[in-house]
Amino acid sequence: MKNGDQVTIHDIARALNIDSSTVSRALNNSPRVSSKTKRKILDKANELGYQRNILASNLRTNKTNTIGVIVPRISRNFFSSVISGIEETAQKAGYNVIICQSFEDFERERQLVETLLSNRVDGILISISMQTDTYEHLRPYLKLGGSIVFYDRPCNFENCSSISVDDYKASFIATEHLIQNGCRNIVHFSGPQINDLYKNRKQGYIDALLKHGLEFKEAYCLESKLSENDGVHFAKKILEMGNVDGIYSSNDTAAIAAIQYLKSQGISIPKDIAVVGFNNDPISSVIEPALTTINQPDFEMGKMASTLLIDKIEKKTTEKELKVLDIELIVRNSSKFKS
Amino acid sequence: MKNGDQVTIHDIARALNIDSSTVSRALNNSPRVSSKTKRKILDKANELGYQRNILASNLRTNKTNTIGVIVPRISRNFFSSVISGIEETAQKAGYNVIICQSFEDFERERQLVETLLSNRVDGILISISMQTDTYEHLRPYLKLGGSIVFYDRPCNFENCSSISVDDYKASFIATEHLIQNGCRNIVHFSGPQINDLYKNRKQGYIDALLKHGLEFKEAYCLESKLSENDGVHFAKKILEMGNVDGIYSSNDTAAIAAIQYLKSQGISIPKDIAVVGFNNDPISSVIEPALTTINQPDFEMGKMASTLLIDKIEKKTTEKELKVLDIELIVRNSSKFKS
């Protein structure tokens, strides 16, 4: 059926020889229309191909008790733990959770926000993609009364709350730990610098070097999306560079891939090169040598983000909060005393 | 606003002093109404609190280009790989994907089906929870013209297709491998026997024992949800049993937890007890000793399930397919020659 001859409630009314206001009430599930009549009207509506396009009506007047979560990638342990925390809190508060993956792609993220809008979720929890450098795609949802809370990757937009960890401090501690264990030429695996999260991690690394009188060299910052392939690629680069004795990686995925490649090339970890990762993935405690890494309160972060969002949805608060959670360095064999 | 005095399109029409058929067209996004008028109508609708309840109209007449995926738990590597396959195919075909976790809970699964129904997804891909022993909760969705494809955990319901791996054969091969490596007292970590998947895995284990003249003992089948805790609990039980020399676990999670506990108690793997898992989780190749396991074509399964579903949605096929994919045994050190 073409757009031009879309079926209206009046067509349904005519076909059934009843008043179109009755049809309207039935389609709006009004208690003033009997179930029997509703059924008749719905059947006719289906038969004629009546389309109810969901248009922009205010989100707050029509609750669905559903929360949408946008996540870069569910396969990362950090994110699946955050989501477990989100689900636990949401479930207790009577909300269902639907999850969408952006795969670190901005265009996909934009589409997902639209999907969640047309699904009329009551609120959105989002960890922005590595490509995202604008928040304008979120504005239509906010305008319709939706609530948004950022998690993991800190953002400052309108009155949206944000919950993240102290990435600067984490990086500072991780880098200082390598220096205190004798490293002098430390390479940093960094993420996209359009994200505050990766900017903060890089700055913590730089400041720790400077505090200890070491030179910061831009060539020692290897930027990527931190995949396994990136880790292997960087490990090869490090072997070419020759004098590297430490790696501080912005995630465990790339750190572990680098360790496995370096070991295959006869490099001893930590004797030749000490390594520190970020995330405390389960695999980090199982590889040989076990990986020193930053532990984030992932499950807690999910619970807190979910609580912030639900409080906003239920208007228990209108305040904007920018929460920063503390982290801890877990020292394992990949970075233990070189000298 | 109480149900009894719900705002209708006639209230909006009266307030704006225009015809109610124009209001109806505007709310249906008809091209016959100018954008300016639409805007005016929508604003008034919002102001008056007009509610568009989404009622049960046929799903096929109002496509959303969205697929819903119900998954027991995204944190399992197997499921996140399947979902990656689903997303790749769906993306190419122009569908968005929304994911929901049942956490192996039937009641939660039932709620999620309702949520997906009210979100009017064009189709559902579902791996049923370990508790699910009825499919009646899926019937309303099918009745409205929705399409459902089962993945991973095979089901036979109405005209829904299903895609799974050959669990019986996988178990037979895994158990036979342990026998051929000298095991005589093999314990099986089994999952809930209400699921065909775990029934098939148990039967493959039993038949391999019988084929090789070994006795099948029900006491050697330890049934659980196969969590880490279950793995540790079973490892303790095995030490009490005394004579166990092999473990075939229905997943890697429980197998790895058991290995770690047994090692902590001074048991040598595979010399004292050989172990075979199921799933080929990334961690299985990294632990010491590396775990022999069953590799499933997870990513492929996701792609195929997604293709089956989209073909149904787009009416390229009405056929029901019950696909069974092949598996492979990956032999690693946890099960190598005992004698």
Side-chain angles (χ1 to χ4, degrees):
Chain A
M1 178 164 295
K2 280 173 288 151
N3 256 339
D5 28 61
Q6 243 177 354
V7 174
T8 68
I9 56 164
H10 305 287
D11 300 320
I12 301 167
R14 245 193 318 276
L16 292 171
N17 199 21
I18 55 174
D19 197 67
S20 49
S21 62
T22 307
V23 175
S24 167
R25 281 195 202 97
L27 293 173
N28 281 304
N29 206 15
S30 160
R32 287 193 277 171
V33 182
S34 74
S35 317
K36 203 180 139 202
T37 307
K38 271 185 202 165
R39 195 65 259 159
K40 205 168 69 180
I41 289 168
L42 283 175
D43 286 347
K44 182 57 74 181
N46 285 343
E47 183 193 321
L48 297 176
Y50 174 70
Q51 298 202 11
R52 300 177 64 80
N53 291 323
I54 299 161
L55 286 186
S57 59
N58 194 294
L59 289 157
R60 289 184 181 274
T61 56
N62 211 348
K63 273 195 72 184
T64 57
N65 279 311
T66 306
I67 287 173
V69 179
I70 297 181
V71 59
R73 224 175 260 284
I74 54 169
S75 60
R76 295 274 164 84
N77 177 73
F78 169 76
F79 287 120
S80 66
S81 298
V82 173
I83 293 171
S84 292
I86 290 169
E87 296 242 22
E88 187 176 290
T89 301
Q91 167 89 350
K92 279 184 192 154
Y95 287 80
N96 286 309
V97 173
I98 61 182
I99 305 158
C100 307
Q101 302 188 80
S102 69
F103 291 97
E104 306 287 6
D105 183 274
F106 174 70
E107 186 45 38
R108 205 144 169 178
E109 177 176 298
R110 205 187 52 67
Q111 268 177 39
L112 293 175
V113 174
E114 275 180 22
T115 301
L116 292 177
L117 170 57
S118 63
N119 284 340
R120 311 189 65 68
V121 296
D122 298 331
I124 295 178
L125 291 166
I126 179 168
S127 178
I128 55 164
S129 88
M130 285 191 187
Q131 289 181 350
T132 302
D133 58 357
T134 169
Y135 308 128
E136 288 308 312
H137 57 308
L138 303 175
R139 207 178 285 282
Y141 183 73
L142 289 178
K143 272 201 176 152
L144 291 168
S147 303
I148 295 178
V149 170
F150 297 103
Y151 68 93
D152 179 41
R153 300 179 183 171
C155 300
N156 197 340
F157 181 60
E158 297 290 332
N159 74 330
C160 305
S161 294
S162 168
I163 180 159
S164 55
V165 300
D166 193 338
D167 290 294
Y168 172 85
K169 183 179 162 193
S171 282
F172 190 94
I173 292 173
T175 309
E176 189 162 57
H177 166 76
L178 285 168
I179 298 169
Q180 285 166 346
N181 281 276
C183 298
R184 290 295 168 268
N185 295 291
I186 302 167
V187 158
H188 174 46
F189 294 176
S190 70
Q193 294 297 307
I194 54 169
N195 288 153
D196 282 349
L197 176 149
Y198 294 111
K199 246 192 264 176
N200 294 341
R201 289 192 191 169
K202 184 172 172 179
Q203 197 55 51
Y205 157 79
I206 294 172
D207 287 357
L209 293 181
L210 299 180
K211 179 189 164 194
H212 290 272
L214 295 174
E215 195 188 342
F216 162 64
K217 300 174 199 148
E218 195 60 54
Y220 274 47
C221 279
L222 306 177
E223 187 178 325
S224 74
K225 284 191 176 184
L226 299 164
S227 69
E228 280 182 35
N229 285 342
D230 294 324
V232 172
H233 176 64
F234 289 162
K236 288 178 184 169
K237 237 179 173 164
I238 282 170
L239 291 183
E240 285 166 18
M241 290 159 81
N243 63 342
V244 175
D245 56 9
I247 298 172
Y248 161 53
S249 171
S250 283
N251 77 7
D252 286 350
T253 309
I256 288 168
I259 287 179
Q260 287 184 317
Y261 181 79
L262 292 170
K263 275 171 63 181
S264 77
Q265 300 301 303
I267 303 292
S268 165
I269 313 286
K271 205 168 70 67
D272 300 329
I273 301 179
V275 186
V276 176
F278 204 112
N279 281 346
N280 195 22
D281 285 346
I283 207 167
S284 68
S285 65
V286 168
I287 55 152
E288 276 292 318
L291 181 66
T292 296
T293 188
I294 299 286
N295 186 50
Q296 306 177 79
D298 40 25
F299 186 78
E300 276 306 307
M301 182 188 282
K303 280 173 69 173
M304 290 169 82
S306 203
T307 302
L308 281 175
L309 186 71
I310 292 167
D311 281 356
K312 278 226 166 170
I313 293 169
E314 300 183 350
K315 293 184 186 168
K316 289 181 194 150
T317 178
T318 53
E319 265 174 50
K320 173 178 187 163
E321 289 192 58
L322 302 177
K323 284 202 183 181
V324 177
L325 306 181
D326 209 1
I327 49 76
E328 85 189 296
L329 179 74
I330 300 182
V331 178
R332 302 202 184 101
N333 287 332
S334 71
S335 67
K336 280 204 179 137
F337 292 98
K338 293 166 59 66
S339 45
Chain B
M1 181 164 291
K2 277 174 290 149
N3 260 339
D5 29 62
Q6 243 175 351
V7 175
T8 70
I9 56 165
H10 305 288
D11 300 319
I12 302 167
R14 244 194 317 276
L16 292 170
N17 198 22
I18 55 176
D19 198 68
S20 49
S21 61
T22 307
V23 175
S24 168
R25 282 196 200 96
L27 293 173
N28 281 305
N29 206 15
S30 160
R32 286 192 277 170
V33 182
S34 74
S35 316
K36 203 180 137 201
T37 308
K38 271 184 202 166
R39 195 65 259 159
K40 204 169 69 181
I41 290 168
L42 281 176
D43 286 347
K44 183 56 75 180
N46 285 343
E47 183 193 320
L48 297 177
Y50 174 69
Q51 297 202 13
R52 300 178 65 77
N53 290 322
I54 300 161
L55 286 188
S57 58
N58 193 294
L59 288 156
R60 289 183 180 274
T61 56
N62 210 348
K63 274 194 71 184
T64 56
N65 281 310
T66 306
I67 287 173
V69 179
I70 298 181
V71 61
R73 223 174 261 283
I74 54 169
S75 59
R76 294 273 163 86
N77 177 73
F78 169 77
F79 287 120
S80 66
S81 297
V82 172
I83 292 171
S84 292
I86 290 170
E87 296 243 21
E88 188 177 289
T89 301
Q91 167 90 350
K92 279 183 191 155
Y95 288 80
N96 286 311
V97 173
I98 60 183
I99 305 158
C100 307
Q101 301 187 81
S102 69
F103 292 96
E104 307 286 7
D105 182 275
F106 174 71
E107 185 46 37
R108 204 142 169 179
E109 177 177 299
R110 204 187 53 67
Q111 268 179 36
L112 293 174
V113 174
E114 274 180 23
T115 300
L116 292 176
L117 170 56
S118 63
N119 284 340
R120 312 190 63 68
V121 297
D122 298 331
I124 294 178
L125 292 166
I126 178 168
S127 179
I128 54 164
S129 87
M130 285 191 188
Q131 289 181 349
T132 302
D133 58 357
T134 170
Y135 307 129
E136 288 307 312
H137 57 310
L138 304 174
R139 206 179 285 282
Y141 182 73
L142 290 177
K143 274 204 175 152
L144 291 169
S147 302
I148 295 177
V149 170
F150 297 102
Y151 68 93
D152 179 43
R153 301 180 182 170
C155 301
N156 198 340
F157 180 61
E158 297 290 329
N159 73 331
C160 306
S161 294
S162 167
I163 181 159
S164 55
V165 300
D166 193 338
D167 290 294
Y168 173 84
K169 183 180 162 192
S171 282
F172 190 94
I173 292 173
T175 309
E176 189 161 57
H177 165 77
L178 285 168
I179 298 169
Q180 285 166 347
N181 281 277
C183 299
R184 289 296 168 267
N185 295 293
I186 303 167
V187 158
H188 174 46
F189 294 175
S190 69
Q193 294 298 306
I194 54 167
N195 287 154
D196 281 350
L197 177 148
Y198 294 110
K199 247 192 263 177
N200 294 341
R201 288 192 191 169
K202 183 173 173 180
Q203 197 57 50
Y205 156 78
I206 294 172
D207 288 357
L209 293 181
L210 299 181
K211 180 190 163 194
H212 290 272
L214 295 174
E215 195 190 341
F216 161 65
K217 300 172 199 146
E218 196 58 54
Y220 275 47
C221 279
L222 306 177
E223 188 177 325
S224 74
K225 284 191 174 183
L226 299 163
S227 70
E228 281 183 36
N229 284 343
D230 293 324
V232 172
H233 176 64
F234 289 163
K236 288 179 185 170
K237 236 178 173 163
I238 282 170
L239 291 182
E240 285 166 21
M241 289 158 82
N243 64 341
V244 174
D245 57 8
I247 297 171
Y248 160 53
S249 171
S250 282
N251 78 8
D252 285 351
T253 309
I256 289 169
I259 287 179
Q260 287 184 316
Y261 181 79
L262 291 171
K263 276 171 63 181
S264 77
Q265 300 301 304
I267 303 294
S268 165
I269 313 284
K271 206 168 68 69
D272 301 328
I273 301 178
V275 186
V276 176
F278 204 114
N279 282 347
N280 195 22
D281 285 345
I283 208 168
S284 69
S285 64
V286 169
I287 54 151
E288 276 293 321
L291 180 66
T292 297
T293 187
I294 299 288
N295 186 50
Q296 306 177 81
D298 40 24
F299 186 78
E300 277 307 307
M301 183 188 281
K303 280 173 69 175
M304 292 169 82
S306 203
T307 303
L308 281 174
L309 185 71
I310 292 167
D311 282 356
K312 279 227 165 172
I313 292 169
E314 299 181 352
K315 294 184 186 167
K316 288 179 195 155
T317 179
T318 52
E319 265 174 50
K320 172 179 186 163
E321 290 192 58
L322 302 177
K323 284 203 185 182
V324 177
L325 305 180
D326 210 0
I327 48 75
E328 86 187 298
L329 179 75
I330 300 181
V331 178
R332 302 201 184 102
N333 288 333
S334 71
S335 67
K336 279 203 181 138
F337 293 98
K338 294 170 56 67
S339 44

